[in-house]
Amino acid sequence: MNIVNARLRGREGLYRIELAGERIAAIAPQQAPAEAGPGDIDAASNLVVPPFVEPHIHLDASLTAGEPAWNMSGTLFEGIERWSERKALVTFDDTKARAKKTIDMLVEHGIQHVRTHVDVTDPTLSALKSMLEVREETRHLIDLQIVAFPQEGIESFKGGRELMAEAIAMGADVVGGIPHFENTREQGVSSIRFLMDLAERSGCLVDVHCDETDDPQSRFLEVLAEEARVREMGERVTASHTTAMGSYDNAYCSKLFRLLKLSGINFVSCPTESIHLQGRFDTYPKRRGLTRVAELDRAGLNVCFGQDSIVDPWYPLGNGNILRILEAGLHICHMLGYQDLARCLDLVTDHSARTLNLGEGYGLVVGRPANLLVLSAPDDYELLRSQGQARVSIRGGKVLLRRTPARVERY
Ligand code: FE2
């Protein structure tokens, strides 16, 4: 199969992309617009990109909002209360069915790589068992990374350390953490040392819910970054949320950023969820409750956007469309300058792929997997402005979906 009349990010002109089996066989410039041959796809001068990536989601909680009760205040704390009611009803099959339905929503928006956090503070590890099966059963749609996520703490939850180790032994791909939720600062610090040891021993990646609070005293990011620096594991480590950084003062941040750069760790921001859940203890002026996305990016650190939740007790909206998150995030983070707009897809493609350590399994490069999207616009800016979509999603050289554009009839 070939794709003709494709535009590529950062390059002039039109291209022909040849797929052979499950690999990209050739990418060649065209002198002029070409006719699509039988079985070929005409990109019609629109962008062709590698698939979108979802670097942070909780598939085990998705599609549960309102069951049995809605979060009426919209706060994180009522979310935890509502989730504890729903958690009592969770079964192995229920988790699997909701996760698969949510994966379909992601796939329909061109996502083919997903990192999901799965709550392992449950002595039965039922959700993890479900997700391990889902990872196998959805391989034809997505590559799924499973994070062993200690929702109720590693040190503060009875048997937390053992459950984390068991989850990794059972096949989770990534070691998680939640240091700001541990009962004391000391427990937060020791939880990071524990999880970094576990990752180093097992060869797993690391993704920590880190400082997801407006409390400027929540400073576990420096601990995580220093552990990553000393162990030379930065590329394999991700700090998710880090919303407290939005409340740190600039003097502390100038010191912190030096360490972050030395550590080389990755960052995920979930802008729609953070603007919804943070700032809840403020009257006015009211904080945005996000990490310093633009500043991290300008400092050359790797930062990307994730959805976090889809229709769960913490966040009632979401439809799987990562471009919706990108648009909101760019607004909230003061990133609508033309330079940012012109390369905004980095935040949901290449940067996220780097966070997930996808390496040579990702990208429009000859020899790499034939996974790609044909989008509905010629460049990043126009795709965002027009609220564009993935028109075609190809995985392993086969078409996964085609979307027919909506037709408007005017009279
Ligand atoms: Fe999260």
Side-chain angles (χ1 to χ4, degrees):
M1 183 199 301
N2 305 309
I3 296 144
V4 298
N5 304 322
R7 283 194 194 281
L8 302 178
R9 298 183 68 221
R11 298 199 225 173
E12 293 291 316
L14 296 175
Y15 288 80
R16 171 190 174 87
I17 303 167
E18 294 178 17
L19 310 181
E22 297 191 352
R23 298 274 151 186
I24 297 171
I27 301 174
Q30 291 174 204
Q31 301 313 319
E35 284 281 309
D40 289 350
I41 291 172
D42 186 355
S45 300
N46 289 315
L47 268 185
V48 173
V49 297
F52 295 141
V53 178
E54 173 49 69
H56 188 120
I57 195 162
H58 295 254
L59 291 175
D60 58 337
S62 66
L63 307 180
T64 58
E67 299 175 2
W70 286 93
N71 180 342
M72 301 302 275
S73 65
T75 60
L76 175 72
F77 300 96
E78 191 181 340
I80 292 169
E81 253 177 74
R82 298 286 83 83
W83 174 242
S84 72
E85 295 162 7
R86 182 59 176 81
K87 206 169 163 179
L89 310 173
V90 164
T91 65
F92 177 86
D93 291 336
D94 161 57
T95 304
K96 255 181 101 167
R98 287 184 290 99
K100 283 186 165 183
K101 209 167 159 188
T102 311
I103 287 168
D104 281 340
M105 295 163 83
L106 301 175
V107 168
E108 281 175 21
H109 289 94
I111 291 169
Q112 291 187 25
H113 302 276
V114 180
R115 177 179 281 180
T116 186
H117 294 254
V118 179
D119 185 2
V120 297
T121 47
D122 160 20
T124 72
L125 294 174
S126 164
L128 176 66
K129 289 172 190 160
S130 305
M131 293 309 305
L132 290 168
E133 285 197 12
V134 168
R135 186 177 65 189
E136 299 313 311
E137 290 168 18
T138 58
R139 273 195 195 283
H140 60 298
L141 300 174
I142 59 163
D143 296 315
L144 183 61
Q145 289 183 357
I146 296 175
V147 186
F149 170 53
Q151 174 88 65
E152 297 181 49
I154 293 175
E155 309 289 43
S156 324
F157 188 77
K158 193 161 176 278
R161 286 189 174 210
E162 291 71 25
L163 286 167
M164 286 294 291
E166 202 181 331
I168 295 303
M170 283 169 63
D173 307 280
V174 187
V175 180
I178 189 163
H180 59 280
F181 183 84
E182 304 283 358
N183 289 334
T184 65
R185 200 197 75 86
E186 287 69 22
Q187 285 180 339
V189 172
S190 68
S191 76
I192 291 176
R193 300 228 166 93
F194 167 81
L195 71 89
M196 290 295 286
D197 282 344
L198 180 56
E200 207 172 9
R201 263 200 322 273
S202 60
C204 286
L205 301 171
V206 172
D207 193 332
V208 174
H209 279 64
C210 195
D211 304 317
E212 189 183 5
T213 166
D214 288 320
D215 175 8
Q217 300 305 319
S218 188
R219 295 183 172 187
F220 295 104
L221 175 57
E222 64 179 24
V223 180
L224 180 66
E226 177 64 357
E227 287 289 325
R229 184 189 70 80
V230 169
R231 298 171 196 244
E232 297 181 6
M233 283 172 65
E235 284 176 13
R236 302 177 60 76
V237 173
T238 296
S240 281
H241 302 304
T242 60
T243 56
M245 200 201 289
S247 294
Y248 294 162
D249 66 42
N250 289 339
Y252 174 63
C253 263
S254 76
K255 174 190 173 224
L256 176 65
F257 268 55
R258 180 177 169 274
L259 169 60
L260 297 179
K261 279 191 257 185
L262 289 171
S263 76
I265 66 170
N266 306 289
F267 293 84
V268 180
S269 169
C270 302
T272 49
E273 183 119 350
S274 291
I275 196 119
H276 169 57
L277 292 177
Q278 304 301 322
R280 290 285 179 160
F281 295 97
D282 296 352
T283 52
Y284 286 92
K286 202 175 271 214
R287 284 170 288 183
R288 295 178 185 217
L290 260 73
T291 195
R292 301 189 179 203
V293 174
E295 291 77 5
L296 288 167
D297 184 60
R298 309 269 189 272
L301 289 150
N302 186 47
V303 55
C304 57
F305 282 142
Q307 308 195 48
D308 209 2
S309 292
I310 294 184
V311 190
D312 72 15
W314 294 277
Y315 184 76
L317 304 178
N319 57 12
N321 187 0
I322 192 78
L323 295 178
R324 178 180 157 269
I325 308 303
L326 176 63
E327 184 180 356
L330 294 172
H331 279 86
I332 299 164
C333 299
H334 281 171
M335 293 178 77
L336 293 179
Y338 184 72
Q339 269 187 326
D340 289 324
L341 291 171
R343 53 168 283 264
C344 63
L345 289 178
D346 284 346
L347 290 157
V348 294
T349 58
D350 293 349
H351 288 195
S352 326
R354 197 169 140 195
T355 296
L356 267 60
N357 277 240
L358 297 181
E360 294 189 355
Y362 186 87
L364 289 191
V365 177
V366 172
R368 293 196 184 173
N371 302 337
L372 50 87
L373 307 175
V374 180
L375 302 178
S376 63
D379 56 43
D380 291 29
Y381 175 27
E382 187 54 20
L383 186 80
L384 187 83
R385 189 207 63 74
S386 63
Q387 298 190 318
Q389 296 169 315
R391 288 257 170 92
V392 184
S393 176
I394 293 173
R395 182 168 174 82
K398 294 196 180 109
V399 175
L400 263 188
L401 80 86
R402 275 176 203 273
R403 174 177 273 108
T404 310
R407 223 179 77 195
V408 178
E409 289 179 27
R410 290 188 55 176
Y411 303 99

